[in-house]
Amino acid sequence: MKLNERSLAFYATCDSPADNAGFLYKRGERHTAYHRRWFVLKGNMLFYFEERDSREPVGVIVLEGCNVELCESAESFAFAIRFGGTKSRTYVLAAESQEAMESWVKSLSRASFDYMRLVVRELEKQLQEMSRGLAGGCGGSRELPGPWKPKPSGLEQSRDRLPPVPAILPKENGCAVWNNVLGAARLPDASGCGGHDEEEGSPRPPPLPPRRRVLNGETASAGAAVAESPSTFWRLHEQYSREVARLRQDWQQKRRGPRP
């Protein structure tokens, strides 16, 4: 792998969020002495600096094809990063506390792309199982495992089957009568499970208001007799107007009191 030193130095010191950062003790490759270094973990790259405010990292460890495990060492809270191969180097690090050691071991174990690949496969498997479970819950249909796609709702599927609404609705007493529309039917269930649809041609119109209900024994002539004509309405208006005027006059006289 070819690595550009300037790009690595910029990536190590830029403002991008780090997965973990802190001081660790690193054992030297030739000498067994431990040196305190500032470590920064970004993605699958572990940078280490001489000091926390250093401008450039001293080195970088690419965390691919390695195992992170605890090890015995003169220092407490030690762990090692081991790579496969006979000539590969093993990095021995030590934390300052048990909590810091556990945090670093967990972060370094999850930093490689191999681990991310396993996580993605597991999530895809769970997503396929969920999609098959949703498909089996509506009608018990079985589908082959594949990428999950949202199912269209029942309203979208039956958009073309809706009855046409006339431009001018029939009216009675100035109000539109919806139950007289030809071909009116109840909208289909929008839940997407069409296992209990009603028979076509037998819609359920909304109930009529109480003033429109007619008993079984009545005829059309009786309904016509009840209907009020304009002359009847005029006579009632005059009668109630005179009654209101009389009551208003009596109220005004009582308010003024008896005349002397």
Side-chain angles (χ1 to χ4, degrees):
M1 181 193 300
K2 228 176 187 182
L3 298 177
N4 190 317
E5 293 183 3
R6 292 184 180 180
S7 300
L8 286 177
F10 174 78
Y11 180 59
T13 57
C14 67
D15 296 334
S16 61
D19 299 321
N20 204 345
F23 282 105
L24 292 174
Y25 293 92
K26 175 180 173 294
R27 192 177 70 179
E29 183 177 4
R30 296 181 180 179
H31 306 284
T32 58
Y34 284 84
H35 302 278
R36 193 169 185 258
R37 298 286 184 257
W38 176 258
F39 282 80
V40 176
L41 175 63
K42 289 187 175 182
N44 64 340
M45 294 186 178
L46 180 63
F47 300 94
Y48 54 95
F49 303 78
E50 287 187 359
E51 298 293 338
R52 184 171 184 176
D53 298 331
S54 299
R55 295 184 177 181
E56 293 184 358
V58 178
V60 59
I61 304 174
V62 182
L63 301 171
E64 293 296 336
C66 62
N67 295 324
V68 182
E69 56 188 25
L70 303 179
C71 66
E72 295 182 0
S73 177
E75 292 289 334
S76 303
F77 315 115
F79 57 94
I81 303 175
R82 302 183 186 276
F83 290 86
T86 55
K87 297 183 180 181
S88 299
R89 180 181 173 183
T90 299
Y91 294 87
V92 180
L93 308 173
E96 296 180 346
S97 64
Q98 178 73 19
E99 183 179 357
M101 181 193 69
E102 293 177 358
S103 175
W104 274 108
V105 170
K106 185 182 297 184
S107 300
L108 296 175
S109 300
R110 299 176 178 180
S112 65
F113 282 108
D114 291 336
Y115 177 82
M116 302 249 337
R117 193 178 295 109
L118 293 176
V119 172
V120 171
R121 289 178 182 176
E122 182 64 24
L123 292 176
E124 288 179 350
K125 181 180 178 182
Q126 294 179 8
L127 186 60
Q128 291 179 3
E129 292 177 356
M130 291 175 61
S131 62
R132 287 197 297 268
L134 292 175
C138 288
S141 60
R142 298 180 180 178
E143 297 180 359
L144 296 177
W148 182 81
K149 295 181 180 179
K151 291 186 176 181
S153 61
L155 186 59
E156 295 178 356
Q157 293 178 351
S158 59
R159 185 175 298 174
D160 299 334
R161 296 186 301 171
L162 292 177
V165 180
I168 302 177
L169 299 175
K171 296 183 178 180
E172 289 187 8
N173 297 331
C175 299
V177 184
W178 292 92
N179 61 317
N180 287 341
V181 179
L182 296 178
R186 183 173 58 90
L187 290 177
D189 187 8
S191 62
C193 300
H196 302 282
D197 295 341
E198 294 184 359
E199 296 181 1
E200 298 182 359
S202 58
R204 298 179 58 184
L208 295 176
R211 65 184 182 85
R212 296 292 300 165
R213 293 178 180 174
V214 182
L215 299 178
N216 294 333
E218 296 182 358
T219 60
S221 60
V226 178
E228 298 176 355
S229 62
S231 60
T232 305
F233 175 77
W234 178 80
R235 287 196 298 271
L236 290 175
H237 184 272
E238 291 292 331
Q239 179 181 353
Y240 283 114
S241 298
R242 289 194 297 269
E243 185 68 18
V244 171
R246 185 181 61 80
L247 293 174
R248 185 171 182 273
Q249 185 178 4
D250 294 344
W251 175 76
Q252 289 178 351
Q253 290 180 359
K254 291 180 181 180
R255 185 177 182 184
R256 294 171 187 170
R259 295 182 179 179

